[in-house]
Amino acid sequence: MHNGEAYITGSCVIRNNRVYRDGTLLWEAPQEQELPEFLRGGYDHFSGQYPKFHKMDPLSKLGWLATEVLLKEQPLNYAADRVGLVLANKSASLDTDLRYFDTVKDIASPALFVYTLSNIVMGEISIRHGFKGENAFFTADTFDADFIAAYVGQLFAEEAIAACICGWVEVMGPVYDVFLYRVERSGGSVVFNADNLQKTISI
């Protein structure tokens, strides 16, 4: 059995209308730009070839965009069932739930109803990249690096995965914060643990 050791081989942070990869600022939009316009601009800049993006809710767009940035120049070349996804946030799908609730006063929106589960963001990421491995979505008041490190580390120790995308994807109204990590069994120098998770996102 594998000893569970893994390495952070990449990171993406999206906050304050800026997109960072591995600590380097790649792109930014005006600070006064609202989230929908920022997301559209990010999509145009980093992808622009995936029309389904426009149908997603903000939570899915943020997770999808961060993963796109994280894997754009260095895809995860593993069997589909060997790549895991472990995400967390504070508000679950409440941002979309509230907008869906507004529609039921007239005619309920099936397009919004699709996104009234927070783990749908993982589905959108998996469809885009073909991931079929272990996945989980957790809710907590703040990012719990110890928990994520332990949970993902156990998946590696059990040899359930060979790589993983994990992290935090939060949005509530205009407020959002995203930081995702690319984690692999080898190929990096930064050991995957709680301390290094915190250091990686201190931008």
Side-chain angles (χ1 to χ4, degrees):
M1 180 176 284
H2 189 260
N3 64 8
E5 187 168 272
Y7 298 88
I8 299 171
T9 58
S11 65
C12 177
V13 176
I14 302 179
R15 61 169 61 118
N16 300 322
N17 284 10
R18 297 184 177 98
V19 178
Y20 301 84
R21 184 174 60 217
D22 301 333
T24 299
L25 178 64
L26 298 185
W27 179 75
E28 65 179 317
Q31 288 297 298
E32 66 274 12
Q33 191 172 83
E34 294 185 357
L35 180 58
E37 288 70 35
F38 169 72
L39 288 169
R40 174 57 192 261
Y43 165 82
D44 289 340
H45 185 81
F46 292 105
S47 182
Q49 299 176 349
Y50 197 76
K52 190 181 177 186
F53 177 86
H54 305 292
K55 299 180 181 180
M56 298 179 197
D57 71 328
L59 181 67
S60 295
K61 287 180 177 179
L62 282 162
W64 188 97
L65 181 60
T67 307
E68 195 76 1
V69 172
L70 197 54
L71 302 182
K72 187 174 180 64
E73 295 180 4
Q74 195 177 4
L76 287 171
N77 296 314
Y78 300 90
D81 63 352
R82 302 290 288 152
V83 180
L85 274 172
V86 178
L87 303 179
N89 76 3
K90 178 179 180 179
S91 302
S93 60
L94 184 58
D95 179 72
T96 301
D97 296 344
L98 292 172
R99 287 186 290 114
Y100 174 72
F101 180 73
D102 283 341
T103 72
V104 303
K105 298 170 185 174
D106 299 311
I107 299 175
S109 168
L112 279 176
F113 179 73
V114 169
Y115 294 98
T116 53
L117 289 173
S118 53
N119 63 346
I120 297 300
V121 60
M122 295 195 300
E124 296 290 6
I125 292 169
S126 296
I127 290 168
R128 168 62 165 166
H129 296 282
F131 300 156
K132 297 180 181 179
E134 297 281 337
N135 62 78
F137 195 104
F138 300 98
T139 57
D141 286 339
T142 59
F143 179 63
D144 189 337
D146 289 306
F147 175 78
I148 293 296
Y151 188 92
V152 175
Q154 186 63 31
L155 292 178
F156 277 103
E158 294 172 356
E159 300 186 5
I161 57 173
C164 188
I165 301 294
C166 63
W168 182 262
V169 184
E170 165 67 11
V171 60
M172 188 63 213
V175 180
Y176 67 93
D177 194 22
V178 181
F179 40 92
L180 295 186
Y181 310 90
R182 170 195 177 111
V183 186
E184 300 175 78
R185 249 182 208 169
S186 60
S189 58
V190 180
V191 175
F192 175 69
N193 58 37
D195 287 342
N196 285 333
L197 286 177
Q198 293 287 10
K199 291 176 185 176
T200 302
I201 60 167
S202 299
I203 293 175

